[in-house]
């Protein structure tokens, strides 16, 4: 998944420390221990890697299922979540950037970490080492590791070089070999089971929203290519889902959009044969291989919910895998045929479950309090029916102070899944409305691809239609309406309070785009490519489009008090363009507050996230009078 300008994670935090009985529920939701879906080593399935906030900062943890031992693998002031376990289970790879700037190098450490000496003392065995000597720091563009541990395929992106892909020998001993280079965005998709073929997603045709595929040998020669855009003339994307987990098998599982939504097919890159899988499911469908290669684990997302299936490749039988109503945000098939999945709903906190009936990981400490269920609303809009998700305090009747919380991406969508941020607003008496505007995923390719040229303005037309419904239905108090969001949602917030100044009482923008032209020139190269696709060119080539879509254009029309928070190391929504917007507010004495923090595109530190939510709630309380 490509996140574009990103989303606001609303990550939780640590528990089990003194004074927890005094924390309100909204704060407990951030502090309660959380874990991600564990990744496991293909050839050592008892060895797993997961992310947890057990210490108050999100870090990587190693887990030996055979012994039950868990240990913290990384410890950095601003957290670590980007990691990979080698197929043999011997090494943990993790990306080392500087304070969230996403620019850095890959490091690795032995899975065991340290040996136990006499008396139980730990002797350093696996100190972190530079995994790919000879490669300079960059933005990451994918990583794939061979089963024998001898080869790593490393994707890199820099402003100067574009995308490069290298064959490296982990730990040194050989100079990295460059096998791919292009100015446009690309990334490593997967390495075949025998380590001989590399699948790459690329946008050489210039459309950053619809990738084409290329399969290379280790020497960089081309084996196969597939491009549904026909050189950029059609808006049909492809994605790599994974090579078959069998030696010598040249089948590659990919995703396509040929019938108007994401669906899987199997492409034999040696023979060019394509096996289409028509599964008769209404929404977007993704898939991964079962470990023996005889079946596929199917994930189906439709109208803000998701479900799982098993597809037998020999019989074509599609069998439902029971999951509770809500959202599955990740799933994996284990060697014994069971499936582990990370599930939640708007009301119920996330848990890692198994089809065996057990909870896979149940972190000790304080339990996360539940929230309220979400209600579905469909509103007629200028581009079709708009799906909105509504939460409000139990038993509350309107009109209520209402928060319109807009998701990031923009190619993302809100779902019936647990989020501590909206739950905090509900706990304080607000209704929360989340809108899957045009540009959102999950409603078909046409809905996602509607976001072109009139960027920002299209989404806000849909938000305005839902706002009108919320007022007319009696849910929302028109004099107490907050527009908020993070990343792309923060961008829409600033654009909305400028283009619709009479519609909103307050604006709360988190890590936003505020000055689109300056943001383009300062952001990471992959996002430049996305913006060229969305707007049809650079600021110099299409200045009128950038001007029309930039919040800075409308800053003098803003009437609502505005709160902005931003990471000073953010490569996605850089700080200079935010400063430009704030200076314009200052020049006319417009009511505003700005909070800057030492991190990137959001924080992985629990106390920092709680501090930010407190500031947002306090800002709303002071301006709306409680």
């Amino acid at each position: 998944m490509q996140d574009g300008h990103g989303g606001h994670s609303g990550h939780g935090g640590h528990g089990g420390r003194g004074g927890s009985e005094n924390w309100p529920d909204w704060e407990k939701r951030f502090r309660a221990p959380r874990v991600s879906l564990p990744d496991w080593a293909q050839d050592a399935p008892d060895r797993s890697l997961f992310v947890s906030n057990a210490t108050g900062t999100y870090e990587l943890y190693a887990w030996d299922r055979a012994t039950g031992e868990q240990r913290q693998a990384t410890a950095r002031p601003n957290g670590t979540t980007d990691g990979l376990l080698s197929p043999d289970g011997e090494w943990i790879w993790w990306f080392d950037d500087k304070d969230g700037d996403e620019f850095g190098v890959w490091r690795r450490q032995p899975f065991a970490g340290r040996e136990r000496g006499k008396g139980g003392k730990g002797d350093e065995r696996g100190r972190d080492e530079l995994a790919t000597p000879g490669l300079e720091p960059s933005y990451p563009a994918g990583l794939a590791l061979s089963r024998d541990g001898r080869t790593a395929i490393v994707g890199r992106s820099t402003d100067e070089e574009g995308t490069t892909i290298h064959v490296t020998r982990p730990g040194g001993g050989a100079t990295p070999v460059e096998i791919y280079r292009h100015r446009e965005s690309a990334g490593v998709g997967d390495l075949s089971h025998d380590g001989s073929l590399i699948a790459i997603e690329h946008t050489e045709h210039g459309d950053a929203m619809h990738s084409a595929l290329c399969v290379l040998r280790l020497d960089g020669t081309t084996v196969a290519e597939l491009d549904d855009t026909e050189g950029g003339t059609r808006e049909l994307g492809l994605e790599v889902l994974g090579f078959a987990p069998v030696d010598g098998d040249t089948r590659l599982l990919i995703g396509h959009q040929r019938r108007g939504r994401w669906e899987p097919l199997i492409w034999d890159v040696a023979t060019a044969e394509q096996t289409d899988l028509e599964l008769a499911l209404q929404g977007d469908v993704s898939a991964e291989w079962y470990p023996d290669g005889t079946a596929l684990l199917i994930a189906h997302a439709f109208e803000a919910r998701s479900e799982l299936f098993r597809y037998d490749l020999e019989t074509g039988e599609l069998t439902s895998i029971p999951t509770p109503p809500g959202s599955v945000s990740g799933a994996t098939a284990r060697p014994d045929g069971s499936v582990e999945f990370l599930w939640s709903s708007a009301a119920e906190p996330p848990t890692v479950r198994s089809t065996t009936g057990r909870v896979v990981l149940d972190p000790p400490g304080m339990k996360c309090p539940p929230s309220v269920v979400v209600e579905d609303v469909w509103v007629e809009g200028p581009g079709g029916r708009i799906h909105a998700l509504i939460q409000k305090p139990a038993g509350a009747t309107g009109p209520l102070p209402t928060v319109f919380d807009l998701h990031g991406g923009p190619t993302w969508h809100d779902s019936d899944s647990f989020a501590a941020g909206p739950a905090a607003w509900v706990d304080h008496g607000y209704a929360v409305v989340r809108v899957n505007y045009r540009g959102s995923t999950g409603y078909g390719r046409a809905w996602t691809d509607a976001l072109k040229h009139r960027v920002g303005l299209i989404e806000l037309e849909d938000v305005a239609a839902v706002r009108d419904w919320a007022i007319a239905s009696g849910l929302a108090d028109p004099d107490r309406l907050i527009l908020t969001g993070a990343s792309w949602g923060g961008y829409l917030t600033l654009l909305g309070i400028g283009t619709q100044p009479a519609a909103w009482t307050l604006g709360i923008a988190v890590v936003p785009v505020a000055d689109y032209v300056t943001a383009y020139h300062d952001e990471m190269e992959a996002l430049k490519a996305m913006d060229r696709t969305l707007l049809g060119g650079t600021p110099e080539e299409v200045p009128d489009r950038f001007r029309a879509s930039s919040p800075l254009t409308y800053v003098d029309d803003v009437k609502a008090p505005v709160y902005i928070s931003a990471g000073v190391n953010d490569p996605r929504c850089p700080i200079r363009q935010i400063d430009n917007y704030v200076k314009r507010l200052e020049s006319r004495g417009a009511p505003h507050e700005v909070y800057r923090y030492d991190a990137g595109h959001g924080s992985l530190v629990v106390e920092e996230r709680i501090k930010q939510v407190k500031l947002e709630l306090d800002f709303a309380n002071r301006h709306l009078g409680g």
Side-chain angles (χ1 to χ4, degrees), residues 576-596:
R576 185 168 71 103
Q577 51 95 26
I578 292 174
D579 289 341
N580 291 346
Y581 185 91
V582 170
K583 289 175 183 176
R584 287 282 295 274
L585 291 174
E586 291 173 344
S587 69
R588 64 184 186 89
H592 69 283
E593 296 178 19
V594 182
Y595 173 67
R596 298 174 177 86

Side-chain angles (χ1 to χ4, degrees), residues 46 90 112 154 226 251 262 313 405 414 565 620-621:
D46 280 340
E90 292 297 320
V154 182
L226 193 60
R251 292 177 300 164
W262 283 108
L313 289 169
D405 188 359
D414 280 315
S565 65
N621 183 60

Side-chain angles (χ1 to χ4, degrees), residues 393-427:
T397 58
L400 298 170
T402 301
V403 175
F404 280 71
D405 188 359
L406 307 183
H407 68 72
T411 50
W412 191 246
H413 68 272
D414 280 315
S415 62
D416 182 8
S417 59
F418 197 78
W425 287 110
V426 172
D427 281 6

Side-chain angles (χ1 to χ4, degrees), residues 105-183:
V105 296
W106 286 101
R107 300 191 185 277
R108 68 174 190 165
Q109 62 175 264
F111 179 86
R114 61 176 69 233
E115 292 177 335
R116 297 292 177 184
K118 292 182 179 180
K121 293 183 178 181
D123 299 320
E124 283 294 335
R125 183 188 107 181
R127 187 171 297 173
D128 291 314
E129 65 180 34
L130 184 62
T132 56
L135 292 181
E136 295 296 319
S138 68
Y139 297 111
L143 173 69
L145 306 175
S146 66
R147 292 170 61 210
D148 61 11
R150 298 178 182 176
T151 304
I153 312 301
V154 182
R156 304 170 62 254
S157 174
T158 66
D159 293 343
E160 296 76 23
E161 298 178 309
T163 303
T164 59
I165 296 176
H166 305 258
V167 177
T168 71
R169 305 302 174 186
T175 302
V177 177
E178 181 183 301
I179 61 169
Y180 179 89
R181 174 183 290 262
H182 202 277
R183 283 300 312 169

Side-chain angles (χ1 to χ4, degrees), residues 380-404:
E380 290 297 330
R385 295 174 72 230
I386 308 161
H387 191 192
L389 304 175
I390 314 296
Q391 289 176 278
K392 59 184 179 181
T397 58
L400 298 170
T402 301
V403 175
F404 280 71

